[in-house]
Amino acid sequence: MTVFTLTLCLLLLCTYLLTCRYFRFRRLKYIFDRYSHTALDYHTGLEISQLTCFWEMPYLTGLSISFALFKTYGIPSVSRLLVQTDQLARLDIAGRRAEDTGVLLAECFENDLDSSRARMALARINYLHNMYRNRISNDDMLYTLSLFVFEPCRWAERFDWRSLTTIEIEARFIFWKEMGARMSIENIPLTMKELEDWSVDYEIKHMIYSKDNQICGEATLALLLSVYPKCLQKFVRKVLISLIDERLRLSMGFEEPSNWIKQLTLLLFRFRAFLLLHCALPRIYPDNYGQASKFCPMTEKNRYQRTGYFFEPWYVKETWFNQIFLFHGKRPSSKYRSEGFKVEELGPEKFAGKGVEILIKDAEKMKQRAIGQKKY
């Protein structure tokens, strides 16, 4: 290699790294410039959260939400219901349950909360919860809500290329607070600090070991491991357990991973964070499940076909690409209802298609609530 070629390569490398550095914080600057001088509401809260989740740190946000749901299984009153209803203990059911949960949340998060799609999805969540309302406590619902607010913030601080800023955390709180209100969750603290203090205190008091916790924990781990080759699953299991905090690990009866596994996991995440911060250009397209209206319009069969999934390709349109290139060894097909989904069919099979009139009334109630909020 000549001196000229080496100099040229170094110059190109430096130019690329400087370009990465220049553009890396542009989107964060945009958030500050547009929203820091205005009072946030759930609309702007959603806009900020979408920028953070789909553009800035999609992988860690998605992972943290998965582990937020996982964390609720460390509460015996939550895991007991899941075991009794058989919605998580069986791997053949757990995959669809996880995807259905993701679809309903994505409908609310990828579309405006006052849109017809988001209101119907949230009404479906309410309908399914109401089927077990006498067995789900308000505190368990509030705790779950708090995890959706704070777990992505905690994971970003621990593992991602930057922490969430105050305005981004506040945006999450405002959006999820409105979600909680529309889910009829009572006694939601008025401030972010009060909610976090309540959540930590609730966890200390109620996150204790039970056999149901362990059943749900093992079932969820099996689902998470199902996307990896069998030869790696034993190692990946230790890595996944090293990501959870000690109280949750004990509440599920998991083995303690060795110290070198913990250090290796932390090193890998920090190396990833370093590369993203210094060596990667910002995203030029969102990383989501493709359920926003412009990406996922209603089909001629009055269904919605999404473009992404996490564990199993439920409701994903069959294309030549995903038929040739397998992901997790599974391809979209009629088995996974590739024709798409209807909101009223999501959830346990025994409730499929039921409660449509209740959904419509609840969605209309949310619409009137939004109109009332606009007046004031």
Side-chain angles (χ1 to χ4, degrees):
M1 181 179 293
T2 65
V3 174
F4 174 78
T5 303
L6 180 61
T7 302
L8 181 61
C9 290
L10 289 174
L11 181 60
L12 291 174
L13 177 61
C14 290
T15 302
Y16 174 76
L17 294 177
L18 288 173
T19 303
C20 291
R21 189 66 179 177
Y22 178 77
F23 285 106
R24 172 46 66 186
F25 291 95
R26 289 290 292 272
R27 194 165 285 119
L28 181 59
K29 183 178 182 300
Y30 168 80
I31 291 174
F32 277 122
D33 291 344
R34 180 168 180 177
Y35 299 104
S36 60
H37 301 295
T38 60
L40 299 182
D41 57 19
Y42 64 89
H43 293 292
T44 51
L46 176 59
E47 290 171 5
I48 294 171
S49 297
Q50 287 175 336
L51 287 171
T52 303
C53 297
F54 299 151
W55 298 87
E56 290 284 88
M57 43 190 72
Y59 173 72
L60 256 295
T61 300
L63 190 61
S64 65
I65 290 295
S66 297
F67 273 84
L69 286 170
F70 186 44
K71 201 170 185 177
T72 64
Y73 308 152
I75 306 296
S77 55
V78 175
S79 61
R80 186 184 310 119
L81 177 61
L82 290 171
V83 171
Q84 290 174 352
T85 56
D86 202 28
Q87 287 301 301
L88 197 64
R90 290 169 47 192
L91 188 59
D92 59 325
I93 294 178
R96 182 184 171 188
R97 182 186 181 278
E99 297 297 338
D100 281 2
T101 301
V103 168
L104 287 170
L105 290 176
E107 284 290 287
C108 298
F109 200 76
E110 294 193 31
N111 300 288
D112 185 86
L113 195 56
D114 290 337
S115 67
S116 175
R117 287 182 62 166
R119 287 187 287 109
M120 285 295 288
L122 190 50
R124 184 62 178 176
I125 293 174
N126 289 342
Y127 174 80
L128 295 174
H129 283 165
N130 286 335
M131 293 298 98
Y132 306 101
R133 197 65 176 183
N134 61 331
R135 301 163 69 183
I136 304 176
S137 72
N138 184 77
D139 282 354
D140 285 343
M141 297 271 285
L142 181 55
Y143 176 65
T144 304
L145 185 78
S146 72
L147 295 181
F148 285 139
V149 176
F150 296 115
E151 283 301 293
C153 309
R154 293 163 181 162
W155 280 64
E157 184 175 4
R158 289 176 62 196
F159 299 125
D160 224 326
W161 62 273
R162 69 171 177 85
S163 299
L164 267 64
T165 60
T166 301
I167 191 172
E168 290 172 304
I169 300 173
E170 184 71 21
R172 293 194 63 83
F173 170 72
I174 292 172
F175 171 76
W176 283 104
K177 186 172 181 289
E178 178 64 21
M179 283 277 286
R182 297 189 184 198
M183 294 172 67
S184 300
I185 299 177
E186 300 175 349
N187 304 319
I188 302 176
L190 297 178
T191 68
M192 187 167 54
K193 182 66 167 60
E194 290 174 344
L195 178 61
E196 185 171 24
D197 290 343
W198 180 90
S199 179
V200 171
D201 183 65
Y202 185 79
E203 187 176 299
I204 292 172
K205 291 178 180 177
H206 296 276
M207 187 174 281
I208 58 175
Y209 173 79
S210 77
K211 185 62 178 177
D212 292 329
N213 291 0
Q214 189 166 20
I215 292 172
C216 288
E218 291 292 349
T220 304
L221 272 185
L223 182 62
L224 291 169
L225 293 172
S226 67
V227 302
Y228 296 94
K230 288 188 176 181
C231 60
L232 295 177
Q233 288 184 3
K234 186 175 180 180
F235 172 73
V236 175
R237 174 189 171 91
K238 296 177 181 178
V239 171
L240 293 175
I241 293 175
S242 73
L243 292 172
I244 65 178
D245 58 66
E246 186 69 2
R247 184 180 295 112
L248 179 59
R249 184 186 71 80
L250 293 174
S251 75
M252 292 185 168
F254 289 151
E255 70 275 13
E256 183 177 8
S258 58
N259 190 59
W260 75 267
I261 288 286
K262 296 178 182 179
Q263 295 299 321
L264 177 62
T265 302
L266 183 60
L267 179 64
L268 290 175
F269 273 105
R270 286 183 174 174
F271 180 64
R272 171 185 175 277
F274 177 86
L275 291 179
L276 287 175
L277 177 60
H278 298 289
C279 307
L281 289 167
R283 303 189 67 85
I284 59 174
Y285 58 89
D287 184 359
N288 51 34
Y289 290 103
Q291 285 179 233
S293 296
K294 64 180 180 180
F295 300 116
C296 182
M298 182 179 288
T299 67
E300 295 178 353
K301 297 181 179 180
N302 297 324
R303 293 178 175 275
Y304 298 105
Q305 294 174 307
R306 59 183 186 154
T307 58
Y309 63 97
F310 195 71
F311 299 109
E312 297 175 349
W314 286 92
Y315 322 117
V316 177
K317 181 181 180 180
E318 295 180 43
T319 65
W320 68 268
F321 183 84
N322 61 34
Q323 293 301 300
I324 295 176
F325 300 98
L326 289 179
F327 182 60
H328 303 169
K330 302 170 184 177
R331 57 166 59 92
S333 64
S334 58
K335 174 184 176 181
Y336 297 109
R337 301 187 181 178
S338 57
E339 71 274 11
F341 67 87
K342 290 184 177 181
V343 168
E344 61 267 26
E345 295 175 353
L346 298 173
E349 192 63 36
K350 63 181 179 179
F351 298 130
K354 297 181 179 179
V356 177
E357 292 184 0
I358 297 175
L359 265 62
I360 294 174
K361 289 180 180 178
D362 195 12
E364 180 62 26
K365 182 180 176 182
M366 294 180 201
K367 181 179 180 180
Q368 296 304 317
R369 172 187 171 88
I371 292 174
Q373 288 174 320
K374 289 178 180 178
K375 290 181 179 180
Y376 298 98

